[in-house]
């Protein structure tokens, strides 16, 4: 049994790129026999930039609702909110005391901010240590991450090795899993879909909002009659990722033949999104009206996580010379 663990940023309602590029693959991974998946919402990390308590809370609810709506089986895996397991902060301190200062000062995520150090808080500097604690607290074997997190994983491994050198083999060394063929979902403007570009399509939102997002997809000004190149059009590029193969082939033929406008294509895309994500949208909306239910679900996950966290901390405290309880 391999323990696979990954953290999910809690920055708002997930968009189509997040669903296809992250949520569905992670759910498939957690459903794979032999995998013991730990998935958590990294809300302590979001405190490095977030100051609004309502937004903080709403964001983690939106993320949790989206994952459950997409079919995450919370009985089968351990799905929790990082802040519901405060033991991670305890391990963060212990690990920090085995972390060489230059290792953190040289982290890309911190170095990028070097010009604006007066705006940077110590939490941002310490971010990789908290991330190491997230992983090492649960004896994770494999950590699926994007390329941008590669250095953080190396730091986690270095911290674990340094700790083990001082105290004996206490911590499990995690392996990164970086998928090479990452899917890229384009946004309404043709760039990578990202909440920072304001080009998202969010399939969990009500139909009227979804319609506005689909209608805002940027196309060229080819006339209705003109044949069109499907490969260079944003509507087609998104349609291809969500529609059944036969519908994609029909749309391709329509583009090439001419007499078929971008308005038609947008209407078809909207229909596929509305119908294809109907169950997810309904569940998402229902869960958001019942945050107490979401909190219960996350707390049940945290209880499972805490059992593992306690066992690790007992081991660690004993090796450090503290009373292990
Ligand atoms: P955003 O760019 O909106 O801030 P994040 O960086 O929070 O998204 O990404 C969260 C996860 O979703 C990551 O695993 C990332 O690879 C995936 N993801 C984000 N945008 C896309 C996209 N356009 N296509 C495919 N996957 C994406
Ligand atoms: N830092 C990660 C990101 O920005 C999220 C994260 C926090 C994480 N803790 C983690 C990922 C532990 C993997 C393991 O995407």
């Amino acid at each position: 049994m391999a323990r696979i663990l990954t953290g999910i940023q809690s920055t708002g309602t997930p968009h189509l790129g997040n669903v296809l590029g992250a949520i569905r693959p992670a759910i498939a991974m957690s459903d794979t026999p032999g995998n013991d998946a730990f998935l958590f919402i990294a809300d302590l990390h979001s405190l490095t930039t977030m100051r609004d308590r309502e937004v903080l809370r709403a964001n983690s609810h939106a993320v949790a609702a989206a994952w459950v709506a997409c079919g995450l089986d919370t009985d089968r895996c351990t799905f929790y909110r990082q802040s519901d397991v405060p033991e991670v902060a305890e391990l963060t301190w212990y690990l920090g005391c085995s972390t060489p200062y230059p290792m953190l000062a040289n982290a890309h995520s911190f170095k990028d901010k070097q010009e604006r150090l007066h705006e940077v808080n110590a939490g941002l500097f310490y971010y990789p240590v908290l991330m190491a604690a997230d992983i090492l607290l649960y004896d994770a074997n494999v950590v699926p991450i994007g390329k941008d997190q590669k250095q953080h994983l190396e730091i986690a491994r270095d911290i674990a090795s340094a700790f083990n050198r001082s105290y004996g083999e206490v911590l499990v060394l995690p392996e990164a899993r970086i998928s090479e063929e990452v899917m890229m979902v384009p946004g309404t403007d043709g760039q990578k879909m990202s909440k920072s570009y304001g080009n998202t399509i969010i399939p969990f939102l009500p139909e009227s909002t979804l319609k506005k997002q689909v209608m805002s997809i940027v196309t060229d000004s080819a006339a209705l009659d003109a044949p069109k190149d499907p490969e260079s059009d944003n509507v087609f590029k998104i349609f291809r990722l969500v529609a059944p193969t036969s519908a994609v082939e029909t749309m391709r033929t329509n583009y090439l033949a001419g007499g078929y406008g971008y308005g038609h294509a947008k209407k078809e895309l909207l229909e596929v999104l509305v119908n294809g994500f109907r169950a997810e949208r309904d569940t998402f909306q229902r869960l958001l009206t019942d945050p107490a239910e979401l909190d219960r679900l996350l707390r049940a996950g945290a209880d499972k996580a805490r059992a593992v966290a306690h066992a690790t901390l007992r081991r660690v405290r004993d090796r450090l010379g503290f009373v292990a309880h």
Side-chain angles (χ1 to χ4, degrees):
M1 201 70 159
R3 176 152 304 148
I4 311 215
L5 173 145
T6 199
I8 305 153
Q9 290 184 42
S10 51
T11 35
T13 306
H15 53 70
L16 190 64
N18 301 142
V19 172
L20 303 183
I23 301 181
R24 283 189 177 166
I27 291 178
M29 174 208 79
S30 74
D31 284 343
T32 305
N35 285 351
D36 174 19
F38 275 52
L39 300 165
F40 68 93
I41 302 173
D43 60 344
L44 291 175
H45 275 112
S46 63
L47 211 54
T48 55
T49 52
M50 173 85 60
R51 293 289 170 269
D52 185 319
R53 68 195 292 271
E54 298 306 327
V55 176
L56 181 91
R57 192 174 297 170
N59 280 354
S60 58
H61 283 150
V63 170
W67 280 73
V68 173
C70 285
L72 183 71
D73 183 346
T74 55
D75 289 330
R76 209 177 147 143
C77 65
T78 304
F79 182 56
Y80 57 102
R81 187 165 40 194
Q82 191 185 24
S83 62
D84 287 336
V85 190
E87 288 83 347
V88 75
E90 183 180 341
L91 184 62
T92 299
W93 178 252
Y94 302 153
L95 296 178
C97 295
S98 284
T99 306
Y101 173 87
M103 200 194 275
L104 298 184
N106 289 327
H108 301 311
S109 54
F110 180 70
K111 258 186 148 167
D112 292 352
K113 313 275 182 323
Q114 208 74 314
E115 268 82 72
R116 306 179 278 118
L117 275 186
H118 58 285
E119 292 171 19
V120 168
N121 56 61
L124 199 95
F125 180 70
Y126 232 59
Y127 188 110
V129 187
L130 176 57
M131 183 156 159
D134 285 332
I135 299 167
L136 303 174
L137 188 58
Y138 301 104
D139 297 333
N141 306 109
V142 178
V143 182
I145 40 163
K147 276 202 207 77
D148 61 320
Q149 297 297 313
K150 195 166 168 243
Q151 192 189 35
H152 286 153
L153 228 281
E154 283 158 9
I155 293 175
R157 283 175 62 90
D158 288 347
I159 294 176
S161 305
F163 193 94
N164 286 350
R165 265 197 307 280
S166 304
Y167 299 105
E169 292 298 308
V170 197
L171 300 172
V172 173
L173 243 63
E175 301 277 342
R177 183 185 291 165
I178 300 167
S179 61
E180 292 304 335
E181 50 346 313
V182 275
M183 151 181 277
M184 200 283 275
V185 180
T188 52
D189 58 359
Q191 294 186 83
K192 176 181 187 269
M193 188 179 290
S194 168
K195 54 192 155 314
S196 16
Y197 302 151
N199 62 357
T200 58
I201 291 178
I202 303 184
F204 305 105
L205 297 184
E207 200 174 324
S208 53
T209 316
L210 201 50
K211 182 171 179 185
K212 283 198 197 102
Q213 294 176 337
V214 169
M215 292 307 156
S216 74
I217 298 174
V218 177
T219 55
D220 64 26
S221 53
L224 178 67
D225 286 346
K228 299 172 183 66
D229 175 17
E231 302 305 324
S232 61
D233 175 57
N234 295 326
V235 186
F236 184 80
K237 284 187 200 162
I238 300 173
F239 189 76
R240 180 163 63 186
L241 299 172
V242 289
T245 320
S246 58
V248 175
E249 286 322 305
T250 309
M251 188 180 281
R252 184 194 303 280
T253 311
N254 288 337
Y255 266 64
L256 295 170
Y260 180 84
Y262 296 124
H264 297 125
K266 286 181 179 177
K267 199 163 156 272
E268 283 192 60
L269 172 60
L270 178 64
E271 232 172 77
V272 167
L273 290 170
V274 167
N275 295 326
F277 286 91
R278 191 178 297 285
E280 287 85 344
R281 184 176 314 108
D282 291 349
T283 308
F284 177 87
Q285 295 292 342
R286 180 176 55 72
L287 286 170
L288 277 199
T289 60
D290 193 358
E293 168 62 20
L294 279 172
D295 285 336
R296 258 196 306 280
L297 197 136
L298 290 166
R299 283 307 291 260
D303 287 343
K304 285 197 269 177
R306 284 183 107 165
V308 181
H310 285 159
T312 309
L313 276 175
R314 256 197 306 278
R315 238 163 49 218
V316 168
R317 288 177 61 95
D318 178 57
R319 293 298 182 107
L320 287 168
F322 297 132
V323 175
H325 31 231

